[in-house]
Amino acid sequence: MHIAEPLAIYSLHFDRGDADSGTVALWSPVTDTRLGEQPEWIRDHRAEPVAYVRGARPSVVISLLANHFVPASFELSAFGRSLSPAHGPDTPIRWLGPHPVSLERTAGWNTLAEPVPFNRPLPNHIGTHALELQWVAEWTDADGSARRLFLGNSRHELFTTGAPMRDGGAGAPPSGAYLPLVRWSSRWCERLESRKDICDALLRGLPETGLRYGVPAWTVRHMLMVGGGMCGGWYQLFQQLANCQGVTLEGRTLHLVPRDDPRTDEVRWEAMVAVAPGINQLEPSRLTRLQGRFHDCVRYPFASDEPVELLGRVEARYVFMAGWDDGHCLNFLEDAGRLYLYDACFRTEAVELDMPLPPADGRPVRLGAESSFRRRYLHPTLPFLMGTLCANGRLWEVDLGRNEFGITVGTEQVPEIDIMWTR
């Protein structure tokens, strides 16, 4: 590489893959590799973001490129604008140095033996920052003249997160998080402090991602690659967004318990049904919806021998089948003695519940009509239950292979519902 300057800043390496460096590991969802394995900034070639827990004091490994006729020893410094509003946006500060440097060679590359620490910590709040550094070398000639040489600029996209992450969560890389998640969450949650406020901001920010519900993808990386996912991916994505800011959520999968009646061949219930299109969708996804004639029951309960009014509706809906093999994935936050439910697929606000965190043991739980989970979440979000029921002199079967959807009953009309919770 040819440079015109006698001495230039060539590369900067912030994340060195050890716990003492203080960085938050950033991963590329495209390559599934850690960005900080190589210098994040290389002159004219690379400028990758870096992330730290708020208030951290970074250090950086520096490489210089010399082109003859430079002093063998000098002091290296980097100046830039403050990231603190208290100093004003135009206040220049010395971010690094003066750090003594002795070049091994005055022509070619020199990587300093030790990381150079910043003179001050990063902002002590969640946020995104644009850090521009002006690098200079300063020395005194033999005749006592003070000299200063400009070594170039480096520009850095920098994130400060709320608290240390928990590594290795569902859908996450081995450490840290995928870059888009850290970028989104640090911007949406800027200067927020409480765990509840952070989770609320994340839920409000999700539409900005452009990711859509109903796309067949069940992991965070797959979602980022194809532009959306199913609930199994969405609840992992929301967990990881919160984890980027040091907030731990509990994930649960809601399963409906089917009850067969061998005397009549009825099944109460075979599926939970959603009619909303889901996040970033104008209509239910054509990739995963069920399209056909649904028979909505006007009144329930009813006896098998009495006439029942059924409203035939040709619609597209989402169906979550009963049993262990299907369900709907949700997140819970316990904060200040309260329990909050977050459904990234269908809800735009948290749902406060009067109940403890559901156990994940899979034991059936019977919910009466006055259950806060039913009233505040289940009734408006999954407004129908689908069943194989006897009505009007025939058995209305659920057979998805034949596009038969039995009878759909308003969830709020059902006296008791049996569910199971798993992770």
Side-chain angles (χ1 to χ4, degrees), residues 72-408:
S73 298
F74 55 87
E75 290 184 328
L76 178 67
S77 295
F79 296 85
R81 294 178 177 178
S82 171
L83 300 179
S84 171
H87 296 108
D90 297 324
T91 303
I93 61 173
R94 192 191 297 258
W95 279 101
L96 294 94
H99 181 79
V101 174
S102 295
L103 298 180
E104 295 182 4
R105 58 187 68 86
T106 56
W109 280 267
N110 288 264
T111 299
L112 305 191
E114 297 294 334
V116 180
F118 276 45
N119 292 335
R120 63 189 64 218
L122 298 172
N124 192 29
H125 61 77
I126 299 171
T128 62
H129 315 278
L131 179 63
E132 181 173 349
L133 300 175
Q134 295 83 44
W135 297 84
V136 297
E138 300 170 293
W139 70 94
T140 302
D141 280 343
D143 62 2
S145 301
R147 301 291 185 183
R148 187 181 233 212
L149 180 64
F150 176 62
L151 308 186
N153 291 335
S154 64
R155 296 178 176 86
H156 309 277
E157 182 183 12
L158 191 148
F159 313 116
T160 47
T161 65
M165 296 183 61
R166 181 184 63 179
D167 287 336
S175 61
Y178 292 113
L179 169 60
L181 276 61
V182 178
R183 177 181 282 129
W184 288 328
S185 63
S186 296
R187 180 158 51 82
W188 300 336
C189 301
E190 184 153 8
R191 296 184 176 276
L192 297 180
E193 293 290 341
S194 83
R195 300 165 70 242
K196 171 68 163 46
D197 287 346
I198 287 171
C199 291
D200 288 349
L202 294 175
L203 197 63
R204 289 192 301 268
L206 283 178
E208 184 185 319
T209 67
L211 300 174
R212 296 165 292 127
Y213 176 71
V215 178
W218 286 268
T219 67
V220 174
R221 185 184 175 214
H222 195 186
M223 284 183 63
L224 295 172
M225 291 295 93
V226 301
M230 302 299 291
C231 63
W234 275 101
Y235 95 132
Q236 289 184 16
L237 180 81
F238 194 76
Q239 284 180 24
Q240 289 306 308
L241 285 165
N243 190 33
C244 289
Q245 304 306 326
V247 178
T248 299
L249 298 176
E250 287 287 340
R252 295 288 187 270
T253 301
L254 166 67
H255 305 270
L256 184 64
V257 178
R259 297 294 184 192
D260 299 351
D261 187 340
R263 297 171 303 169
T264 62
D265 291 328
E266 294 181 307
V267 183
R268 298 180 175 89
W269 301 94
E270 300 214 46
M272 301 175 290
V273 181
V275 298
I279 183 171
N280 284 335
Q281 295 281 20
L282 297 178
E283 62 177 16
S285 170
R286 299 187 181 190
L287 299 172
T288 54
R289 71 186 184 184
L290 289 185
Q291 174 79 38
R293 180 173 293 277
F294 292 85
H295 302 281
D296 296 346
C297 179
V298 175
R299 175 180 53 84
Y300 187 84
F302 55 79
S304 59
D305 57 351
E306 63 180 293
V308 178
E309 182 180 359
L310 301 177
L311 302 179
R313 303 182 187 276
V314 177
E315 289 186 350
R317 296 175 177 178
Y318 297 114
V319 173
F320 303 91
M321 299 304 295
W324 295 106
D325 295 335
D326 199 2
H328 187 47
C329 301
L330 307 167
N331 282 303
F332 292 90
L333 170 70
E334 294 180 290
D335 189 56
R338 299 178 182 274
L339 182 68
Y340 301 94
L341 180 155
Y342 290 87
D343 183 346
C345 304
F346 295 115
R347 300 299 294 258
T348 58
E349 294 182 352
V351 180
E352 185 177 348
L353 300 172
D354 296 326
M355 57 181 276
L357 177 70
D361 55 15
R363 288 182 296 179
V365 177
R366 178 154 292 180
L367 301 178
E370 295 306 310
S371 158
S372 71
F373 175 75
R374 283 191 58 173
R375 289 185 291 106
R376 299 178 186 178
Y377 173 75
L378 205 59
H379 293 172
T381 312
L382 299 168
F384 291 102
L385 296 182
M386 179 187 293
T388 293
L389 302 177
C390 292
N392 297 335
R394 57 166 286 195
L395 181 67
W396 299 77
E397 293 185 85
V398 174
D399 188 333
L400 300 187
R402 292 185 293 165
N403 221 35
E404 295 183 359
F405 302 146
I407 293 177
T408 36

Side-chain angles (χ1 to χ4, degrees), residues 15 17 23-29 31-35 37 165-179 220-221 240 243:
D15 179 3
T23 52
V24 175
L26 300 178
W27 290 69
S28 165
T31 61
D32 206 20
T33 57
R34 185 167 176 158
L35 298 182
E37 291 180 350
M165 296 183 61
R166 181 184 63 179
D167 287 336
S175 61
Y178 292 113
L179 169 60
V220 174
R221 185 184 175 214
Q240 289 306 308
N243 190 33

